[in-house]
Amino acid sequence: MARKHPTPLSGGLRSALNKELGKARAMTTVLAQRSAELRAEGESLIRTADKLLCEAWNERMWADGGPIDPSPTVDQAINGGHPWLEIECSRCKTKRDVDLAALPHPPTTFVHDLVSRLRCSKCAKANRRPPATLLQLAQRPRQAAPET
């Protein structure tokens, strides 16, 4: 809500009010710029935190095997620069990459919860629907044209 400043009757008070209003306008510009700088810095820190979370999850997957709970959310993986999920069919051992950005998902979906949704398309043609095994999050696909 805008503040209303009554115009003073005397010239000295009018010029003092105009001076203070000028300072206030200058201060809003300074504060808005600082706010934008801090927001950009915060977003950068969140991206870095998401990247480290993905890398930590990959290391735990490699060390312990199996889908590790908790995992990053799909949005955290994408924001952290790991938009690809490497999976392997538990039956035919075919590996493929899944584009996480292309999956319909709520923002809070954890990567390890995708196991039940991801199936091997090669085995599906033979009327089999074995579950996928999660391998790791990746920054880019291993193949030029991954299956969906």
Side-chain angles (χ1 to χ4, degrees), residues 72-79 82-83 98-111 113-114 117-118:
T73 64
V74 174
D75 288 351
Q76 286 174 326
I78 293 169
N79 189 44
H82 290 77
V98 177
D99 183 5
L100 294 175
L103 293 177
H105 65 280
T108 57
T109 302
F110 290 100
V111 171
D113 289 338
L114 297 175
R117 282 199 249 162
L118 301 173

Side-chain angles (χ1 to χ4, degrees), residues 22-34:
K23 286 182 186 177
R25 287 185 188 104
M27 192 55 148
T28 59
T29 305
V30 169
L31 292 173
Q33 288 174 346
R34 184 67 180 138

Side-chain angles (χ1 to χ4, degrees), residues 13-148:
L13 292 177
R14 226 177 294 144
S15 65
L17 176 64
N18 287 336
K19 183 178 176 182
E20 290 301 316
L21 288 175
K23 286 182 186 177
R25 287 185 188 104
M27 192 55 148
T28 59
T29 305
V30 169
L31 292 173
Q33 288 174 346
R34 184 67 180 138
S35 172
E37 291 169 2
L38 289 174
R39 184 171 304 281
E41 185 179 320
E43 289 170 357
S44 173
L45 288 172
I46 290 171
R47 263 192 307 283
T48 303
D50 288 345
K51 179 181 180 190
L52 292 173
L53 181 63
C54 293
E55 291 173 359
W57 188 75
N58 282 345
E59 289 297 321
R60 284 186 295 151
M61 285 288 290
W62 180 81
D64 300 336
I68 304 297
D69 179 16
S71 64
T73 64
V74 174
D75 288 351
Q76 286 174 326
I78 293 169
N79 189 44
H82 290 77
W84 295 93
L85 177 63
E86 294 178 11
I87 63 171
E88 179 181 69
C89 176
S90 59
R91 181 178 171 270
C92 69
K93 303 299 182 199
T94 301
K95 293 181 181 180
R96 72 179 179 126
D97 301 315
V98 177
D99 183 5
L100 294 175
L103 293 177
H105 65 280
T108 57
T109 302
F110 290 100
V111 171
H112 72 271
D113 289 338
L114 297 175
V115 171
S116 61
R117 282 199 249 162
L118 301 173
R119 304 286 182 192
C120 177
S121 57
K122 185 177 173 183
C123 290
K125 292 175 185 170
N127 288 332
R128 294 191 169 85
R129 303 283 291 164
T133 303
L134 302 181
L135 299 177
Q136 70 176 0
L137 291 166
Q139 294 179 343
R140 61 186 69 79
R142 287 177 292 118
Q143 307 159 351
E147 293 181 41
T148 308

